[in-house]
Amino acid sequence: MPKVYVTQEVATANYHPAEKFGDVVFLCTTEVSGASSSLHNVKLVNSIRERFKDYNPATDFLAPSGSPIISMIVMAIAREKGSQFNFLKWNNRDFVYTSIRVDTLGEEHVY
């Protein structure tokens, strides 16, 4: 069964709608430190890598949630595993997720 990797668990968010796309895996609950030499950040990235090690970009989903910085860290790690990704986009009006597949390589520039 596919997995849904939620970048950062937010206590007030309802992730139940994501379960229709696969087993939900939360990558972290904490925020990055503002200190550039923070040992917290090293531990945080290592923890995300460990929880994310079985990620398969062909079948699994990324559900951005919480801190944009955490989402960017997760995406940087995901990019090590491929260039095409399945995202779950939250719709605030209908309270559902929409599946979107994105190829980060593209075919050519469109501008």
Side-chain angles (χ1 to χ4, degrees):
M1 173 175 237
K3 290 188 171 81
V4 175
Y5 289 91
V6 176
T7 56
Q8 183 180 32
E9 183 178 11
V10 176
T12 57
N14 176 10
Y15 298 101
H16 181 69
E19 292 175 345
K20 85 174 211 179
F21 294 92
D23 296 328
V24 174
V25 177
F26 297 102
L27 295 176
C28 74
T29 59
T30 60
E31 181 57 85
V32 296
S33 167
S36 60
S37 60
S38 169
L39 290 177
H40 169 77
N41 291 346
V42 172
K43 290 179 184 178
L44 177 62
V45 170
N46 288 339
S47 175
I48 290 171
R49 281 189 176 280
E50 178 61 29
R51 296 190 58 77
F52 202 45
K53 70 181 177 190
D54 295 327
Y55 169 71
N56 180 344
T59 58
D60 295 332
F61 294 88
L62 296 172
S65 176
S67 166
I69 301 292
I70 296 291
S71 292
M72 287 188 283
I73 291 168
V74 171
M75 194 61 221
I77 296 168
R79 187 61 181 86
E80 295 171 2
K81 298 185 176 213
S83 62
Q84 296 180 353
F85 306 98
N86 300 310
F87 291 98
L88 293 183
K89 182 177 184 282
W90 180 247
N91 182 313
N92 278 326
R93 184 185 53 174
D94 298 328
F95 300 106
V96 296
Y97 283 102
T98 302
S99 172
I100 300 168
R101 182 136 178 98
V102 175
D103 183 346
T104 60
L105 292 181
E107 302 226 355
E108 61 183 69
H109 298 289
V110 293
Y111 50 88

